[in-house]
Amino acid sequence: LYRLHDESDLVYLGFDELFADTSLILLEWPEKAPSLPLPDIHVTLSHLPTTEKVDDAFDQAREISLQFNGCCPGKDILAELFE
């Protein structure tokens, strides 16, 4: 959503039509549209600090974290993947 000027752009794009019971919607920059419903799963990707140099560049490990907000289909399966 980083290219949006404000939330009215979502209406123009027909974004509300994407929300169905079986939809999977992944958003970057959701803070640009605070009126959106809360996510079932909040996914955070982050770089971990490193000092290991590989091919003249610093290789950065990454971490993924999942925060579940209530119950959602597949919650248990996803939780097992990231244990």
Side-chain angles (χ1 to χ4, degrees):
L1 300 179
Y2 67 94
R3 292 180 186 235
L4 298 182
H5 296 289
D6 58 44
E7 286 191 87
S8 65
D9 290 346
L10 292 174
V11 174
Y12 175 75
L13 294 171
F15 199 77
D16 58 330
E17 296 171 15
L18 298 175
F19 287 93
D21 289 342
T22 58
S23 295
L24 173 64
I25 300 171
L26 304 174
L27 294 176
E28 282 187 292
W29 302 69
E31 62 275 6
K32 299 275 283 183
S35 67
L36 289 176
L38 290 175
D40 294 325
I41 304 170
H42 185 100
V43 180
T44 303
L45 304 171
S46 47
H47 291 279
L48 299 175
T50 184
T51 57
E52 184 178 334
K53 201 167 188 180
V54 178
D55 297 328
D56 292 330
F58 286 99
D59 187 31
Q60 286 192 306
R62 289 159 183 84
E63 177 180 67
I64 184 170
S65 64
L66 304 174
Q67 176 187 348
F68 296 95
N69 300 318
C71 184
C72 63
K75 176 181 176 181
D76 295 332
I77 295 169
L78 286 172
E80 287 179 26
L81 286 174
F82 295 101
E83 284 184 351

